[in-house]
Amino acid sequence: MANIKSQIKRNKQNDKRRLRNRVYRGTARIAVKNARAAIDSGVPESQAALVSAISALDKAAEQGVIHRNNAARRKSRLVKAFAKMEPAKVETAMVEPVVEAEPRRLHHAGALPSGSQDQIGIGP
C-alpha cells in the first residue's frame, strides 16, 4: 500500500475507473455474445441483437474503455456475419402496393393568386 498522499489518491481514482470500465466492457461483451448467438441461430430477432451490440460497442469506445478501431472492427465483423446469415424461413403475406396521392401544387412564393391583384390595388 502506498504511503504517499498523491499515490493513495491515484489508487482510489484508478479503482473507481476500473469498476466503471468493467460495466461498459462487460455490457459490450455480453451484447456481442448475444448478437453472435442470434446470428448463428438465424432467428428474426438477430437484427435487434445486432443493433444493441453496436450501441454497446459505441458506448464503450466513447468512454475510452476500448479503442475506437477495436469497436469498429468488432462491429464490422458482426455486420458481415449478419449479412451472410441464412434467415429462418418466414412466410410473408402479399401486401398491395400503396398508391401515393398526387402532390398538391402550391402557388409560387412571389406570385399572387389570380384575382387578388384587383383587391389590393395593383395591376392594370
Side-chain angles (χ1 to χ4, degrees), residues 57-103:
L57 286 168
D58 283 338
K59 285 178 185 174
E62 186 179 315
Q63 294 296 322
V65 176
I66 61 174
H67 195 275
R68 57 191 168 94
N69 290 353
N70 186 325
R73 182 178 65 242
R74 289 164 135 188
K75 289 189 297 184
S76 173
R77 288 176 181 169
L78 279 174
V79 171
K80 190 175 176 183
F82 179 75
K84 198 166 71 169
M85 174 184 81
E86 291 292 326
K89 293 185 179 182
V90 178
E91 294 184 26
T92 57
M94 291 296 292
V95 179
E96 293 183 24
V98 177
V99 178
E100 294 183 16
E102 194 172 309

Side-chain angles (χ1 to χ4, degrees), residues 8-123:
I8 292 169
K9 180 179 178 182
R10 175 62 61 198
N11 288 342
K12 282 166 66 172
Q13 289 174 337
N14 287 340
D15 286 341
K16 279 185 189 177
R17 288 191 184 116
R18 181 180 56 82
L19 293 175
R20 192 179 318 132
N21 290 345
R22 278 183 65 184
V23 172
Y24 288 107
R25 195 168 42 245
T27 303
R29 190 182 302 128
I30 290 168
V32 168
K33 185 172 74 170
N34 292 342
R36 179 67 66 184
I39 289 170
D40 288 344
S41 65
V43 295
E45 295 84 26
S46 60
Q47 185 171 4
L50 175 70
V51 169
S52 68
I54 288 173
S55 175
L57 286 168
D58 283 338
K59 285 178 185 174
E62 186 179 315
Q63 294 296 322
V65 176
I66 61 174
H67 195 275
R68 57 191 168 94
N69 290 353
N70 186 325
R73 182 178 65 242
R74 289 164 135 188
K75 289 189 297 184
S76 173
R77 288 176 181 169
L78 279 174
V79 171
K80 190 175 176 183
F82 179 75
K84 198 166 71 169
M85 174 184 81
E86 291 292 326
K89 293 185 179 182
V90 178
E91 294 184 26
T92 57
M94 291 296 292
V95 179
E96 293 183 24
V98 177
V99 178
E100 294 183 16
E102 194 172 309
R104 293 178 49 201
R105 294 185 180 210
L106 301 176
H107 295 289
H108 181 64
L112 295 172
S114 62
S116 63
Q117 293 173 348
D118 298 335
Q119 294 171 357
I120 57 174
I122 59 172

